[in-house]
Amino acid sequence: MRLNVLAPMVFATLALTGCNSFFDSTDFSTVQEKMNYALPSSMVAKMRAQDMDKLAPITIRIFKEEGILEIWKQKRDGTYGELETYEICAWSGKLGPKKKEGDRQAPEGFYPLSKGLLNPYSQYFLAINTGYPNRYDRANRLTGSDLMIHGACSSRGCYSMTDEQILEIFAFARDAFSGGQQAIMLQAYPFRMTAENMVRHRYNENYPFWQMLKEGYDYFEVTKQVPDVDVCGGKYVFNKDPAQGGALASDQACPALASNIPSQYMMALADYRTDYQDAFEKALAKNDDKVWLDPSEAERKALVADLRKDPTDPLYQPTGSSLEAGRYVTIEQYRLTKYGPLETPEVDTTTQTAAIPDIPADMPAVSDVPIPQRSPMAAYAEEPPKKDKPFWKFW
């Protein structure tokens, strides 16, 4: 029996954990219609205007805080141009990477999407599996499964779009694979990694992880080329090869590495870093006495309580905006918000001085905020090693 006949029969009887599962349906003609959806002529014209072939490779960028998913497509000169932007309908959890099964976090990082991760049989209309956990996640013993970009505007650790949006996003991926692309790089970021945003989130526990992602972000911003991504020593490395040849192991220490960045980009990257450092210092001086409070999922949802009553509203976003729900507070306000009022100090009647109350160990310091170090661009990417799959699992 041919695979395209057998697959619907199997998919219709299975249910997966996590954010995605297969629905029981015999209307496979509808599935074929979704899989074969043709992008509108206006979109094809937009590609033509930007010197893009319809089947050219794509990369997907996600920004959680802004609630944005971008489709970038390769031009005929080899660089990528922004083709379409979508507002994410729903994402669960808070800013920060997914760490364990059930934490409701949506992944952050770099995920190569193969053709086999496209799922037209999803109960959430259409789905693209992010491939979580990737090599970085596995090296750091992070757990979770079946985390998707899908339709239906409902999320339990996924990036959920409207059905109309995922129909186009799925078509972009399908066409790129038809054109010969082997893996679509998903770049999932917590926010646009500008100097102002990095300063704003400098007290977040995930800040070191975000600094690591920023190397890949910067490379794409400057060159409009997808970075080479690899993992060694449990860390992402970008645009680097082993100096002595060989391969990198995600769970072993990194050997000596050599940059493979084309020489024509080196000056532009150096200028970008200099401008970033200047902007970071200015933003830090402006906000050195403030702490940004990231909102919880419940706080984001509270912003759109009224809109959630009408899902047909074009502004319907059931999990709300992280930017609108978050806020800056002073160090003192942060301390009161997180720890409550400090105990009234006892006064020494002899010296008329007050004892200094204990400050919680994780209370942010007001001064000496570290500025991200300029680290060389690095890394080289390869798809995760393939594992033997159960006979019934085709994607």
Side-chain angles (χ1 to χ4, degrees):
M1 185 177 293
R2 295 181 61 185
L3 178 60
N4 61 353
V5 176
L6 179 60
M9 297 172 60
V10 176
F11 285 137
T13 61
L14 296 177
L16 299 181
T17 60
C19 201
N20 186 69
S21 60
F22 295 106
F23 64 87
D24 186 5
S25 173
T26 56
D27 188 5
F28 300 122
S29 61
T30 301
V31 174
Q32 292 298 319
E33 288 175 5
K34 291 188 294 183
M35 292 175 63
N36 298 325
Y37 169 77
L39 291 167
S41 58
S42 58
M43 183 62 67
V44 177
K46 190 174 181 180
M47 295 181 201
R48 191 179 305 114
Q50 296 193 53
D51 200 25
M52 301 169 177
D53 186 88
K54 184 174 179 292
L55 303 182
I58 66 169
T59 185
I60 301 173
R61 297 209 304 175
I62 286 177
F63 299 99
K64 271 187 185 177
E65 188 172 54
E66 293 83 354
I68 292 296
L69 183 150
E70 298 175 344
I71 298 294
W72 289 68
K73 198 168 185 65
Q74 193 176 61
K75 302 179 181 179
R76 287 186 172 83
D77 66 1
T79 62
Y80 282 75
E82 185 177 351
L83 181 59
E84 191 60 275
T85 299
Y86 302 94
E87 291 187 359
I88 297 172
C89 195
W91 58 273
S92 58
K94 299 177 63 175
L95 298 187
K98 184 169 186 65
K99 295 181 179 179
K100 61 181 179 180
E101 187 83 56
D103 64 6
R104 292 184 61 82
Q105 287 294 105
E108 294 174 7
F110 293 81
Y111 294 84
L113 312 178
S114 63
K115 186 176 181 180
L117 295 178
L118 300 185
N119 178 17
Y121 301 97
S122 170
Q123 68 172 354
Y124 296 99
F125 194 69
L126 287 169
I128 303 174
N129 192 318
T130 63
Y132 181 96
N134 64 12
R135 292 175 61 203
Y136 171 87
D137 303 322
R138 294 195 298 272
N140 288 279
R141 296 182 173 84
L142 307 183
T143 60
S145 59
D146 303 311
L147 302 175
M148 313 283 166
I149 302 170
H150 61 65
C153 196
S154 174
S155 174
R156 297 196 309 271
C158 297
Y159 294 105
S160 185
M161 318 300 294
T162 66
D163 291 350
E164 293 78 12
Q165 290 172 332
I166 193 63
L167 192 63
E168 286 197 352
I169 295 167
F170 196 94
F172 283 128
R174 177 205 62 211
D175 288 350
F177 287 128
S178 295
Q181 187 170 11
Q182 296 300 304
I184 295 169
M185 182 62 75
L186 167 62
Q187 308 174 49
Y189 300 106
F191 43 78
R192 296 192 187 279
M193 308 191 94
T194 63
E196 292 76 12
N197 285 344
M198 294 298 286
V199 165
R200 190 157 51 86
H201 292 287
R202 68 192 183 280
Y203 288 128
N204 192 292
E205 64 180 358
N206 297 297
Y207 190 78
F209 173 74
W210 294 339
Q211 283 182 293
M212 180 173 55
L213 298 187
K214 192 175 185 303
E215 290 191 31
Y217 172 90
D218 289 351
Y219 184 81
F220 186 83
E221 284 290 297
V222 172
T223 69
K224 297 301 183 286
Q225 298 269 10
V226 177
D228 287 339
V229 184
D230 212 326
V231 179
C232 62
K235 297 180 180 180
Y236 283 111
V237 289
F238 302 90
N239 301 307
K240 284 189 176 179
D241 296 322
Q244 304 300 321
L248 299 180
S250 57
D251 59 350
Q252 296 180 17
C254 295
L257 299 173
S259 172
N260 62 19
I261 298 176
S263 58
Q264 66 266 30
Y265 296 136
M266 297 301 292
M267 183 63 71
L269 285 165
D271 291 343
Y272 182 88
R273 296 190 195 107
T274 298
D275 292 342
Y276 171 80
Q277 290 296 126
D278 292 342
F280 188 96
E281 290 164 7
K282 290 178 181 177
L284 185 60
K286 181 180 178 181
N287 299 295
D288 64 347
D289 63 340
K290 298 176 183 177
V291 178
W292 179 261
L293 295 182
D294 284 319
S296 66
E297 183 177 351
E299 289 171 327
R300 290 189 288 120
K301 287 182 176 179
L303 286 180
V304 290
D306 291 335
L307 285 178
R308 293 179 74 233
K309 298 175 183 177
D310 181 13
T312 63
D313 191 302
L315 297 178
Y316 175 58
Q317 286 188 326
T319 53
S321 167
S322 185
L323 275 173
E324 292 179 12
R327 65 190 188 279
Y328 257 135
V329 297
T330 65
I331 293 289
E332 182 62 25
Q333 289 172 327
Y334 173 84
R335 182 167 57 189
L336 289 172
T337 299
K338 188 168 183 180
Y339 304 106
L342 295 175
E343 295 182 3
T344 303
E346 296 182 1
V347 177
D348 186 323
T349 56
T350 303
T351 62
Q352 295 299 308
T353 58
I356 299 176
D358 291 334
I359 302 296
D362 58 348
M363 176 66 205
V366 178
S367 60
D368 299 326
V369 177
I371 296 176
Q373 296 297 311
R374 301 180 188 179
S375 49
M377 307 302 294
Y380 185 67
E382 63 183 36
E383 288 196 48
K386 295 183 178 180
K387 295 182 178 180
D388 293 332
K389 300 178 181 178
F391 74 94
W392 47 264
K393 193 168 184 179
F394 293 96
W395 65 280

